[in-house]
Amino acid sequence: MAGWDSSFLRLKRALPSSLLDLHALIERVGYQAYIVGGSVRDLLLSKKPKDYDLASSATPEQLKALLEGIEGVVLVDLGRAYGTLGVSFEGWFFEITTFRQEGAYHDHRHPSALSFVQSIESDLARRDFTINALALHPQKGLLDLYGGLDDLAHKRLRLVGDPFLRLQEDALRILRALRFASTLGFALESATQKALWAQAPLLKHIAKERIRIEFFKLLLGDFANTTTQFQALLENTLQARFTHLDALEKTPPNLRARLLLICQSWDSQTLRDFCTRLRFSKKLTQSLCQLFSISP
């Protein structure tokens, strides 16, 4: 098993001081805490993270007892059953989640049970993609158990463990994979890509609101033309026929502009039905229908 790589302690310079202060508060009393998720990925890609998530051996109750009353700290209950506590501190908002393992998934989205554990290694095993299964510690360095660094270097998207199982657990990961391909410009490795096509029918179990969110993020990616190779998957999932997916990158990254581009072959009723089916907001639906009616 891979160990901590101290060469990545250089990333500490990019971390906000409030995060380092919060991390020190947690570890000073004997709990473990690690920076995880998209922020670690972004740091390694030389991007500035928008936010930071931490994983900790402390439960929300333990964290609350530790942090409550500290000047400048505001706690937000984000779901104690799932082990997550929000912490507003020195101008930043952090989500801290207790190390956990998840039981069987009952609806291709949510685990039927979860249990708290004391190991960051066990926690990383439940992550979706290898590039998101990285942990950073300000004094230890970087922990990479699943080859995430190599996948970042090769701009490759690969699911942790058995890709068919990962998607069967949470079918929304199918659209998350396409979204990451669109926003990062990464390619899906072969086994992950095969699993996407095979498990795509499971998306029928996912709430339309969640599908809409991922679809919008996908459309706005700097590498959105990658969606062309998955056009059939998207069309079957969204029950629509799209045009000009290969021209998305030539269109300004504006949601309305890109939506209107791919629905040029529709009539106004088809557009309205699509908006209703994916539960677009009333404001967005009205705006799209108005723009559609005056477009050439």
Side-chain angles (χ1 to χ4, degrees):
M1 179 179 292
W4 292 93
D5 187 339
S6 61
S7 68
F8 288 94
L9 287 173
R10 56 185 169 78
L11 296 177
K12 181 178 179 178
R13 297 192 297 268
L15 299 176
S17 59
S18 54
L19 175 58
L20 294 174
D21 290 344
L22 179 62
H23 182 273
L25 282 170
I26 296 171
E27 292 219 328
R28 190 174 297 148
V29 295
Y31 300 123
Q32 302 172 54
Y34 304 94
I35 303 149
V36 294
S39 60
V40 181
R41 180 194 69 228
D42 288 346
L43 286 171
L44 291 165
L45 292 173
S46 299
K47 296 181 178 183
K48 186 176 181 180
K50 296 179 181 178
D51 49 39
Y52 292 87
D53 295 333
L54 289 89
S56 176
S57 60
T59 65
E61 290 76 16
Q62 290 169 330
L63 287 169
K64 185 176 180 181
L66 172 65
L67 300 174
E68 207 165 34
I70 294 178
E71 184 178 356
V73 171
V74 178
L75 304 179
V76 181
D77 194 343
L78 297 177
R80 295 196 184 188
Y82 293 96
T84 302
L85 182 72
V87 179
S88 177
F89 183 51
E90 296 180 354
W92 285 83
F93 185 80
F94 307 104
E95 290 189 11
I96 308 177
T97 301
T98 308
F99 300 157
R100 70 191 198 197
Q101 289 179 324
E102 296 167 345
Y105 285 66
H106 61 90
D107 59 359
H108 303 291
R109 175 68 183 140
H110 303 100
S112 56
L114 62 84
S115 57
F116 296 149
V117 295
Q118 290 295 305
S119 163
I120 182 61
E121 289 83 1
S122 296
D123 186 80
L124 293 177
R126 69 178 179 83
R127 306 279 167 168
D128 51 9
F129 298 95
T130 61
I131 60 172
N132 295 333
L134 298 159
L136 178 65
H137 189 279
Q139 282 77 49
K140 297 178 181 179
L142 189 78
L143 182 63
D144 175 21
L145 300 177
Y146 300 101
L149 283 171
D150 190 59
D151 287 337
L152 281 173
H154 291 88
K155 297 185 176 182
R156 182 170 56 219
L157 285 171
R158 183 165 54 91
L159 286 156
V160 172
D162 182 344
F164 287 85
L165 178 59
R166 289 285 86 81
L167 299 182
Q168 189 174 39
E169 290 172 343
D170 184 355
L172 189 62
R173 288 168 175 163
I174 297 167
L175 292 183
R176 280 173 57 82
L178 300 186
R179 187 244 292 182
F180 283 131
S182 175
T183 56
L184 297 175
F186 285 18
L188 278 74
E189 61 92 29
S190 58
T192 294
Q193 188 169 159
K194 289 177 182 177
L196 248 67
W197 286 103
Q199 303 288 44
L202 295 178
L203 283 166
K204 66 184 178 182
H205 299 284
I206 303 301
K208 294 297 188 293
E209 291 86 353
R210 298 299 305 172
I211 288 176
R212 182 193 67 233
I213 291 169
E214 293 297 333
F215 180 57
F216 282 2
K217 290 178 179 178
L218 179 158
L219 284 181
L220 293 174
D222 291 336
F223 306 92
N225 283 10
T226 59
T227 57
T228 54
Q229 60 183 309
F230 299 99
Q231 181 164 346
L233 189 157
L234 288 171
E235 289 181 340
N236 289 336
T237 299
L238 302 173
Q239 301 171 48
R241 292 292 176 262
F242 301 124
T243 55
H244 306 302
L245 285 177
D246 58 349
L248 281 169
E249 292 175 26
K250 299 177 182 177
T251 305
N254 173 278
L255 182 59
R256 289 170 176 79
R258 292 195 172 184
L259 281 168
L260 290 171
L261 173 71
I262 65 174
C263 70
Q264 283 186 14
S265 64
W266 301 356
D267 57 36
S268 58
Q269 188 58 51
T270 301
L271 174 60
R272 189 171 294 277
D273 290 344
F274 181 73
C275 293
T276 300
R277 189 163 59 251
L278 285 188
R279 295 173 170 76
F280 284 22
S281 69
K282 184 177 180 180
K283 181 179 180 180
L284 179 57
T285 299
Q286 290 176 340
S287 174
L288 287 171
C289 290
Q290 183 179 15
L291 290 168
F292 186 84
S293 66
I294 63 176
S295 61

